[in-house]
Amino acid sequence: MKNSIAVESKKSIDTSWLKKLGPGLITGAADDDPSGIAAYSQAGAQFGFNMLWTLFLTYPLMVGIQTISARIGRVSGHGLATNIRRHYPPWLLYGMVGLLLIANTINIGADVAAMGDAAKLLIGGSSHLYSIGFGIASLLLQIFIPYARYVQVLKWLTLALLAYVGTVFVVHVPWSEVAYRTVIPHLSLKPAYITTVVAIFGTSISPYLFFWQASQEVEEQRNQPEAKALKKAPDQANANFHRIGIDTGIGMGFSNLVAFFIMLTTAATLHAHGITDIQSSAQAASALKPIAGEFASWLFAAGIVVTGLLAVPVLAGSAAYATAGAFQWKNSLEDKARSAKKFYAVIAVSTLLGVTLCFAPVDPIKALYWAAVINGVISVPIMAIMMLMAGRADIMGRFIIGGGLKILGWMCTGAMALAVIAMFGTSLT
């Protein structure tokens, strides 16, 4: 009887993997948030096609580290913060969670501000009012829509990223030069070039994505009556590892493909016409209009609004998962707000504080810079701890990682460490 249930469970997981694309896909799409769009736009505008190579380098690294975070959640049945709390010193946990909260809140502020600016470009009106509306709408969706339905909304929102693929078809692109520069880039040791490379790495590989995907795997497990933590149900492992691999590979591929086209569009238009200083995603959309036409500008701006609606819940949710895991609170988007008050309070506070930052006398570019610095600083120890946890039998049981995945995870950790060192090195010159 037990074996027949296991086989049926495995078959169910195998035959419905297309429907269950979620944690990896949503994580990858959320990586292309408005602040990320600004970073990719600036890279394309400033350096033309010479930054396209970075997205081929970050793809396998992103797949490796996000797969590891997903496996930790699915195997142990707990998110990253809970696992860190159980196995590492409290000061380390609270320091990381505190910095994550600060970085995520700043990022939310930058994203809702960009969404407000983009909405103003599309329909006119007050960007501040739009920012408030987007922030509140995102908060209400997370509070009042159960996870099983809400995740379907997020999946559909990922389709909006195709707008950035569409923009490239309304501008002239020298494809032979694009192919050449993607494979054989023109490298430079100038501080501006190194800083941009670091910004792309920091945008692509962010701590909030680790916490989100691990916790979403736990949510997925909770929503399947037959599913258990793989440490306790090893017969379910092969099917779930296969699903995680496909989900994460597609999600990170989608993320990098969109980033590639954003960079390609701005390189072929803005850089080609001498516009090399883009300070925000909305500015990139506005600058496209006289060069690529109103339709390209509209697509770019509309994409900013929808990607923000996708990213803000991930930023606020990952902050809540991390905090709740650190303090042993109930932490599920499937729970009603009244039964998980502290978890939803973190979502509310981080979202509303982010909206408030839109009205503060703070330079949004400087705010994003410091958010990137914080993310860079905490990403390296978080990844190192993730790699150590993934190799511990008391956390992973028989499913400790090894082989190529282990090598890829440590390569990603090393690459981010080098990026952080380069970031501080260029800031001192």
Side-chain angles (χ1 to χ4, degrees):
M1 180 69 178
K2 182 178 179 181
N3 289 336
S4 65
I5 294 174
V7 170
E8 186 175 343
S9 171
K10 181 178 185 296
K11 181 179 178 182
S12 173
I13 294 171
D14 282 343
T15 57
S16 62
W17 66 267
L18 280 171
K19 294 181 180 179
K20 293 184 179 181
L21 277 179
L25 178 65
I26 294 167
T27 301
D31 194 30
D32 292 322
D33 67 329
S35 59
I37 292 168
Y40 299 134
S41 298
Q42 176 61 22
Q46 188 172 4
F47 297 102
F49 304 124
N50 288 321
M51 284 289 173
L52 294 174
W53 65 272
T54 58
L55 300 170
F56 282 89
L57 180 60
T58 58
Y59 174 68
L61 301 180
M62 290 171 67
V63 171
I65 201 67
Q66 292 298 148
T67 297
I68 290 167
S69 68
R71 285 198 180 195
I72 290 173
R74 190 65 183 83
V75 171
S76 68
H78 301 289
L80 294 184
T82 299
N83 278 305
I84 295 173
R85 174 177 55 79
R86 290 182 169 191
H87 300 282
Y88 295 92
W91 63 266
L92 184 63
L93 171 65
Y94 298 142
M96 287 181 177
V97 170
L99 290 172
L100 182 74
L101 281 169
I102 294 170
N104 281 16
T105 300
I106 295 172
N107 237 41
I108 290 171
D111 283 354
V112 295
M115 293 161 69
D117 289 340
K120 182 179 179 180
L121 281 175
L122 290 169
I123 57 177
S126 170
S127 59
H128 281 163
L129 287 178
Y130 292 137
S131 295
I132 294 172
F134 288 134
I136 293 175
S138 175
L139 178 59
L140 294 177
L141 285 171
Q142 291 179 87
I143 292 176
F144 292 108
I145 298 182
Y147 170 80
R149 289 167 55 196
Y150 185 59
V151 75
Q152 298 302 321
V153 174
L154 295 181
K155 285 183 188 180
W156 281 108
L157 286 178
T158 63
L159 294 177
L161 291 174
L162 294 175
Y164 295 109
V165 180
T167 58
V168 82
F169 295 107
V170 295
V171 301
H172 172 69
V173 177
W175 290 107
S176 58
E177 184 182 355
V178 168
Y180 179 79
R181 288 300 180 191
T182 301
V183 178
I184 307 175
H186 174 71
L187 301 177
S188 173
L189 293 178
K190 292 182 179 180
Y193 189 94
I194 294 174
T195 300
T196 304
V197 172
V198 172
I200 292 171
F201 268 82
T203 299
S204 302
I205 304 169
S206 298
Y208 75 90
L209 301 176
F210 313 153
F211 283 90
W212 173 262
Q213 189 164 354
S215 295
Q216 290 305 288
E217 283 296 330
V218 178
E219 294 275 20
E220 292 282 320
Q221 175 203 316
R222 290 172 178 169
N223 280 291
Q224 299 175 41
E226 76 282 359
K228 297 179 181 178
L230 300 183
K231 186 178 176 181
K232 299 178 180 179
D235 56 297
Q236 299 178 7
N238 288 338
N240 277 283
F241 287 164
H242 180 65
R243 175 188 56 79
I244 287 171
I246 292 173
D247 186 23
T248 305
I250 291 175
M252 299 309 115
F254 190 46
S255 171
N256 278 34
L257 179 69
V258 169
F260 183 90
F261 277 101
I262 292 171
M263 204 179 293
L264 179 60
T265 299
T266 52
T269 54
L270 306 184
H271 180 81
H273 287 78
I275 302 173
T276 59
D277 187 19
I278 296 297
Q279 297 296 318
S280 70
S281 52
Q283 186 184 348
S286 180
L288 278 174
K289 185 178 292 186
I291 300 169
E294 190 167 345
F295 181 63
S297 177
W298 186 90
L299 277 178
F300 208 93
I304 292 168
V305 172
V306 184
T307 55
L309 290 173
L310 174 65
V312 169
V314 175
L315 285 159
S318 63
Y321 282 125
T323 306
F327 292 100
Q328 303 182 58
W329 300 338
K330 292 185 68 175
N331 52 39
S332 174
L333 287 170
E334 193 66 35
D335 292 331
K336 300 291 185 182
R338 61 178 176 271
S339 64
K341 295 178 182 178
K342 295 177 180 178
F343 174 73
Y344 282 100
V346 176
I347 291 176
V349 170
S350 60
T351 302
L352 296 177
L353 279 178
V355 172
T356 303
L357 288 177
C358 297
F359 298 88
V362 178
D363 184 342
I365 301 303
K366 287 185 178 179
L368 276 178
Y369 170 77
W370 285 109
V373 169
I374 295 171
N375 273 325
V377 169
I378 65 176
S379 65
V380 177
I382 288 176
M383 284 191 287
I385 290 174
M386 282 171 55
M387 293 306 299
L388 294 174
M389 287 196 297
R392 291 180 57 153
D394 55 341
I395 297 175
M396 302 294 288
R398 70 170 75 172
F399 301 114
I400 57 175
I401 64 165
L405 187 57
K406 184 176 183 179
I407 293 171
L408 200 55
W410 281 115
M411 284 177 61
C412 185
T413 306
M416 276 305 297
L418 289 174
V420 171
I421 293 170
M423 177 178 65
F424 284 114
T426 54
S427 66
L428 295 175
T429 57

